[in-house]
Amino acid sequence: METETLALAQEIDFSMLALFARATFTVKIVMILLIAASFWSWAIIIQKVLTYRRARQEADVFDQAFWSGEPLDELFEKIGPDPAGPSQKIFAAGMMEWRRSHRQDGGLIPGAAPRIDRSMDVAISKEAEDLTGSLPFLATVGSTAPFVGLFGTVWGIMHAFIEIAQQQSTNLAVVAPGIAEALLATGLGLLAAIPAVVAYNKLSSDSDRIIGGYEAFADEFSTILSRQLDS
């Protein structure tokens, strides 16, 4: 009897596609959602890695131009009022407010320094939103995917026990397929969650460093303009 049972179990297809095909409709929906979440997470991860790399490269190039000794007005004329780079946008926001703060007679409108700071803070906030956008999705996948997979597993095991009761048999050929299908949902949940959590922590740290660099530049630029205001 055991030999026959083992022979039947060996004939069962336990490939991923076969397990998916034999799963119940509910478990299939869970698996599809987890696979889609995993692919979307990887798309976000790759996109953010490339975005952060470009942001760091742009900041390095602009820092060299800013500290090269070139007059700020000439640098502003070169990059224009609507540049593409994040660091350039912050610089342009401060320079535009600096120019708006001058009266036609060459004097300064009172409260120029706070307005310049606020203009650069708004520019930094916009860049921070772009950098951190989609990161909450990774956090959501990382925290919920294991539970979604567990739900699929519980549902699959429940269906497996129903199948056992209907066939009135607990041999390996009856039990193994249902349990394997159920556990596949948990595996997919972990497959989606683990990279999402690791990537979220890494990308959040990288974005904080980049935004911190923008804030440090804004403080330095504000200090330079304050010296000119005092003089």
Side-chain angles (χ1 to χ4, degrees):
M1 185 68 178
E2 290 185 5
T3 304
E4 294 179 359
T5 301
L6 289 173
L8 290 173
Q10 289 176 353
E11 293 177 359
I12 299 173
D13 187 0
F14 286 98
S15 66
M16 299 285 284
L17 289 177
L19 293 175
F20 176 82
R22 287 196 301 263
T24 63
F25 177 76
T26 301
V27 178
K28 284 180 179 177
I29 294 297
V30 169
M31 291 180 182
I32 291 172
L33 288 175
L34 291 173
I35 293 171
S38 180
F39 275 106
W40 190 250
S41 296
W42 277 107
I44 292 173
I45 293 168
I46 294 171
Q47 186 262 335
K48 288 299 179 185
V49 168
L50 296 177
T51 298
Y52 292 176
R53 182 180 300 173
R54 287 194 299 268
R56 285 190 290 264
Q57 291 174 348
E58 185 272 342
D60 292 339
V61 172
F62 179 75
D63 282 346
Q64 292 178 1
F66 183 82
W67 297 109
S68 65
E70 181 179 3
L72 297 182
D73 287 328
E74 293 182 8
L75 180 59
F76 179 63
E77 292 294 338
K78 184 182 298 183
I79 67 173
D82 188 22
S87 298
Q88 295 177 348
K89 288 181 180 179
I90 298 168
F91 170 74
M95 284 299 297
M96 284 190 292
E97 187 58 40
W98 164 262
R99 291 189 171 186
R100 293 193 195 103
S101 297
H102 284 79
R103 296 194 299 263
Q104 292 182 352
D105 60 1
L108 282 170
I109 301 173
R115 288 196 302 272
I116 293 171
D117 289 340
R118 285 195 297 271
S119 297
M120 289 192 291
D121 287 341
V122 170
I124 291 173
S125 298
K126 291 179 180 178
E127 298 305 319
E129 289 178 3
D130 292 338
L131 288 173
T132 59
S134 301
L135 290 185
F137 179 82
L138 295 180
T140 301
V141 171
S143 60
T144 61
F147 297 103
V148 175
L150 182 60
F151 167 76
T153 296
V154 172
W155 191 275
I157 289 176
M158 180 185 69
H159 183 266
F161 278 119
I162 294 174
E163 188 74 16
I164 290 171
Q166 290 176 346
Q167 297 192 21
Q168 296 182 353
S169 173
T170 58
N171 64 52
L172 188 62
V174 175
V175 175
I179 300 299
E181 296 156 18
L183 292 177
L184 178 60
T186 296
L188 291 175
L190 295 175
L191 186 65
I194 293 173
V197 171
V198 174
Y200 173 78
N201 292 332
K202 177 65 168 62
L203 294 174
S204 295
S205 177
D206 290 346
S207 66
D208 288 343
R209 281 196 294 268
I210 294 172
I211 295 169
Y214 293 156
E215 292 173 346
F217 165 74
D219 291 339
E220 293 171 343
F221 184 36
S222 179
T223 301
I224 294 173
L225 294 180
S226 295
R227 293 195 194 100
Q228 297 190 21
L229 289 173
D230 292 340
S231 62

